[in-house]
Amino acid sequence: DRLDGCAITEIKADVISEESHTEEDLATLSEARADAVLQALKSNGIYAADTQTDVSHVKIDTATYTRPMARRVEVHVKAVPSFGL
């Protein structure tokens, strides 16, 4: 509802994955995770012509994050008022 009356101009999906570059299968899993998130957004009418995906290998501080938080997709959406659209 917060995006009503807005045009989505950019979506960036940052895949944070402790294992993203250690093995090919796990990197593929990280990319599939991002694709699933972007598809869920699109199926709910949230999409943009400019969509970017970045898969980053990160070193997780296990004292700060639990294992599931080592694998996530952070979505950044840029929206502008859609006057006259």
Side-chain angles (χ1 to χ4, degrees), residues 17-65:
S17 184
E18 184 179 34
E19 76 277 344
S20 63
H21 294 292
T22 56
E23 295 179 27
E24 186 176 334
D25 288 344
L26 294 174
T28 301
L29 179 61
S30 296
E31 292 168 9
R33 188 178 297 119
D35 289 342
V37 169
L38 293 172
Q39 185 59 40
L41 290 172
K42 188 173 184 177
S43 69
N44 284 286
I46 302 172
Y47 55 91
D50 184 10
T51 302
Q52 304 167 17
T53 304
D54 178 36
V55 179
S56 300
H57 176 74
V58 295
K59 179 74 174 152
I60 299 297
D61 177 9
T62 55
T64 306
Y65 293 105

